[in-house]
Amino acid sequence: MKIEELNLNPMLLKVVKGMGFIDATPIQEKCIPPIREGKDVVGQSSTGSGKTAAFGLPILEKVQPGHGLQVLILTPTRELCVQVTETMNEFGRHIHTRAVSVYGGVGIEPQIRSIKAADVVVGTPGRVLDHLERKTIKFDNVKYLVLDEADRMFDMGFIDDVERIISQVPKDRQTMLFSATIGADVHNVVRKHLRSPITIKGEIYVDKSLLKQAYYDIKAYEKFSLLVHLLRNKT
């Protein structure tokens, strides 16, 4: 499916086409329509499948710039947090929405100031909880909650933090969860916090373009030495 066939907001379409989007990925094609309709969604899809656009574009169509924090996106790592924030800001360039990153390991004061003017907050669970405890973030107007890479978040031990955060978000919201795998923890969160969700499976394999393969013709007794060499040199 061509990206134009999704009938996006013209200002969003202008941006994504400028970013080189031509064809919608399977997860985008399947997720964008039900998210636009206000349905809760569980997307099973790997990193690199285009899931940020799958949830970000239909959410941004609904956000009212300058009306306070309306979107909360939880990510497992600082790196993903920054990446999602940058993508959301690029998508929202012409509609004047503002996304900010909230993560630990840096000063909290600049984040406190930026949250006040944010439409979208992308954050790691620990730092989001820190802001909640300091009362420097309010979820009163949050209408869209996204749990990105939920399985990884829970594997890293954030499930209790995520539960505490969800309990503070208004129940009258739209919730989207994306995960490469649907294990017991993910299933329990879906059962407890999503309303009649639509489950969508996209690419649940690793994109071959992201893989580097090499073949070494060696003797059996050389395997361990080669493995040690490769690990040390990160080859």
Side-chain angles (χ1 to χ4, degrees):
M1 173 184 282
K2 298 297 182 184
I3 199 76
E4 293 98 332
E5 296 178 64
L6 291 169
N7 297 315
L8 294 169
N9 175 310
M11 302 305 285
L12 292 175
L13 181 61
K14 179 180 179 180
V15 169
V16 297
K17 290 183 72 174
M19 294 170 69
F21 285 62
I22 299 173
D23 298 312
T25 67
I27 198 71
Q28 293 163 4
E29 181 179 339
K30 295 174 184 176
C31 281
I32 288 176
I35 292 176
R36 278 175 133 180
E37 294 170 8
K39 299 183 187 304
D40 285 4
V41 165
V42 176
Q44 187 173 1
S45 184
S46 304
T47 299
S49 60
K51 57 184 168 55
T52 303
F55 64 75
L57 293 173
I59 286 175
L60 288 175
E61 287 188 322
K62 303 178 182 184
V63 169
Q64 295 180 293
H67 284 232
L69 176 58
Q70 299 155 67
V71 184
L72 175 65
I73 303 170
L74 296 180
T75 64
T77 66
R78 168 180 177 167
E79 292 74 22
L80 183 59
C81 176
V82 171
Q83 178 184 324
V84 171
T85 303
E86 291 175 348
T87 302
M88 293 293 283
N89 276 326
E90 183 65 17
F91 287 159
R93 197 155 41 95
H94 295 317
I95 59 174
H96 310 296
T97 54
R98 184 181 183 193
V100 300
S101 294
V102 167
Y103 51 81
V106 295
I108 200 168
E109 293 299 327
Q111 294 179 359
I112 292 173
R113 291 192 294 270
S114 63
I115 287 171
K116 293 177 181 178
D119 306 297
V120 179
V121 163
V122 186
T124 53
R127 182 51 68 95
V128 171
L129 270 183
D130 195 356
H131 280 284
L132 277 173
E133 289 165 0
R134 292 168 179 257
K135 301 187 187 305
T136 52
I137 193 169
K138 293 182 179 180
F139 295 156
D140 298 6
N141 296 320
V142 170
K143 298 178 178 65
Y144 311 101
L145 172 65
V146 180
L147 307 181
D148 195 8
E149 295 198 5
D151 53 348
R152 189 175 177 195
M153 228 170 349
F154 300 158
D155 287 344
M156 293 171 68
F158 289 129
I159 187 163
D160 290 339
D161 291 349
V162 171
E163 288 278 4
R164 288 173 61 192
I165 292 167
I166 293 175
S167 72
Q168 300 300 309
V169 180
K171 294 187 182 300
D172 184 19
R173 65 172 187 267
Q174 185 178 2
T175 308
M176 289 137 278
L177 180 149
F178 289 83
S179 187
T181 59
I182 307 294
D185 287 339
V186 173
H187 178 74
N188 287 338
V189 167
V190 170
R191 179 180 53 81
K192 287 171 62 178
H193 300 294
L194 276 72
R195 299 173 297 184
S196 304
I198 294 176
T199 299
I200 294 167
K201 290 189 178 182
E203 305 89 340
I204 55 175
Y205 54 85
V206 176
D207 186 339
K208 292 181 181 179
S209 69
L210 302 177
L211 296 177
K212 179 181 178 181
Q213 299 185 49
Y215 175 78
Y216 297 88
D217 187 8
I218 60 173
K219 305 292 185 183
Y221 62 83
E222 296 175 321
K223 289 182 179 179
F224 183 73
S225 295
L226 176 62
L227 174 61
V228 172
H229 170 77
L230 294 174
L231 289 174
R232 283 178 174 170
N233 291 277
K234 299 181 181 179
T235 302

